[in-house]
Amino acid sequence: MSRDPELQRFLDRYLLIFLAAYFLSLFAMAGTFSLVWSSYCRECTREIAYPASLAVLILALSTAHAAVVRGFYWGAWWVAGLCIGSIAFLIPTYAYGPHKMVFTSILTAALLGLLVLNSRTYRQMRIVLAEYRAKRRQERAGRDSKGRTPKP
């Protein structure tokens, strides 16, 4: 089975940058979540708050990256906001004495995630995805109520 050449060019050019942003933000969120719960929330009850906060974080991160894939610009702003929030929650945990390598690697992942989001290639990918979204919208508008394209 062969792929559409246009899709193959898109994947060859932009897949790695998208995966880098995804995994860097995922690592930053997971590490920050772990350090926050082991420092700030040491005494907190974990029956409801822990799984609920984890679910909210997973939902926010998944929604943001799915929005980027669907061509919505606000998705990248959510990812950037989550990375900035990760840094904002991470920095004060230094007072609790986390392992320096863990702290540094999480901070580095969040900063590299922001760097990747601000890269020219990632911005070009977002523009191309927004164009694909506009094409899909035009194709949908050209169909009749039963999903068929009218013949000229």
Side-chain angles (χ1 to χ4, degrees), residues 63-86:
T63 302
H65 283 291
V68 169
V69 169
R70 296 293 296 168
F72 293 103
Y73 286 115
W74 55 265
W77 285 105
W78 274 27
V79 176
L82 287 169
C83 286
I84 291 169
S86 171

Side-chain angles (χ1 to χ4, degrees), residues 26-66:
L26 183 67
F27 182 75
M29 296 303 117
T32 301
F33 183 82
S34 174
L35 280 182
V36 164
W37 274 94
S38 66
S39 57
Y40 301 145
C41 303
R42 233 179 244 167
E43 314 297 321
C44 299
T45 177
R46 294 186 182 234
E47 288 94 25
I48 296 173
Y50 186 82
S53 61
L54 181 61
V56 167
L57 183 65
I58 290 171
L59 183 66
L61 194 61
S62 300
T63 302
H65 283 291

